Amino acid sequence: MTGATIWLTGLPSAGKTTIANELADRLRAEGERVEVLDGDEIREFLSAGLGFSREDRHINVQRIGFVSELLASNGVKVLVPVIAPYADSREAVRKRHQSEGTPYLEVHVATPVDVCSVRDVKGLYAKQAAGEISGLTGVDDPYEAPEAPDLRIESQDQTVQESAAALHALLSERGLA
């Protein structure tokens, strides 16, 4: 089986993890080896102690990129629903994969901030609006949207299943599913 890293980038509450989990279930049902590297779990276990400065965010993304490439190079489909707000950090991960000959796809879950703030899965937008937190990606901290992702998903316009199906179709098209 061919491994690959599928990085889902987008704003908080865009639907990255929900889509990744839906796709993971489908791939597992097809007999694929799959791991989901959830950003919150990574911050708790692999990147504990890192904050949300630009430098710390870059270190976090590089750590995740290292782990995902390691797994992918060993035949695992690695779904990475992680914001990764800076284009240069994502590009460094892509280059790591390219240098190792490991397939890498970048998926932009391009949900508008107004939709994300209504979903507000973790209550971050409400906390930011109330002045309880600052540095919220896409609101008062930068988010550099991918200019040429392998796939752009407009999650507000389709179901989770449709989003996962579009991503599965891309994997099939690239010979990865």
Side-chain angles (χ1 to χ4, degrees):
M1 289 188 192
T2 303
T5 293
I6 301 96
W7 197 293
L8 294 91
T9 179
L11 297 174
S13 297
K16 302 175 299 296
T17 301
T18 304
I19 294 166
N21 287 329
E22 180 73 22
L23 179 61
D25 289 345
R26 182 171 177 175
L27 291 171
R28 285 185 188 113
E30 295 172 356
E32 296 279 357
R33 295 169 59 207
V34 180
E35 288 293 335
V36 177
L37 299 182
D38 179 77
D40 294 331
E41 291 174 2
I42 295 289
R43 278 207 170 262
E44 182 178 350
F45 297 107
L46 187 64
S47 294
L50 289 180
F52 291 91
S53 68
R54 191 184 208 297
E55 181 181 353
D56 282 358
R57 288 176 189 255
H58 179 76
I59 291 167
N60 185 50
V61 167
Q62 296 317 298
R63 287 178 181 175
I64 297 167
F66 173 80
V67 172
S68 66
E69 194 285 321
L70 186 66
L71 289 166
S73 69
N74 284 283
V76 178
K77 298 287 188 301
V78 186
L79 305 176
V80 185
V82 173
I83 296 169
Y86 299 107
D88 60 344
S89 295
R90 294 191 307 267
E91 184 58 25
V93 171
R94 179 187 295 278
K95 286 181 178 171
R96 166 183 285 285
H97 281 71
Q98 286 173 338
S99 71
E100 298 295 330
T102 305
Y104 176 88
L105 299 174
E106 183 177 71
V107 177
H108 181 204
V109 183
T111 311
V113 69
D114 59 324
V115 174
C116 294
S117 66
V118 169
R119 290 180 182 170
D120 204 10
V121 181
K122 299 172 193 158
L124 297 175
Y125 293 91
K127 287 179 182 173
Q128 190 276 338
E132 296 172 24
I133 63 168
S134 62
L136 182 59
T137 302
V139 178
D140 60 354
D141 210 52
Y143 176 73
E144 299 170 357
E147 292 181 15
D150 294 283
L151 179 66
R152 187 176 316 278
I153 293 174
E154 310 272 341
S155 75
Q156 73 279 8
D157 295 332
Q158 59 193 26
T159 66
V160 172
Q161 293 75 18
E162 289 168 336
S163 296
L167 187 42
H168 190 274
L170 175 65
L171 292 173
S172 295
E173 177 186 304
R174 301 281 174 94
L176 299 170

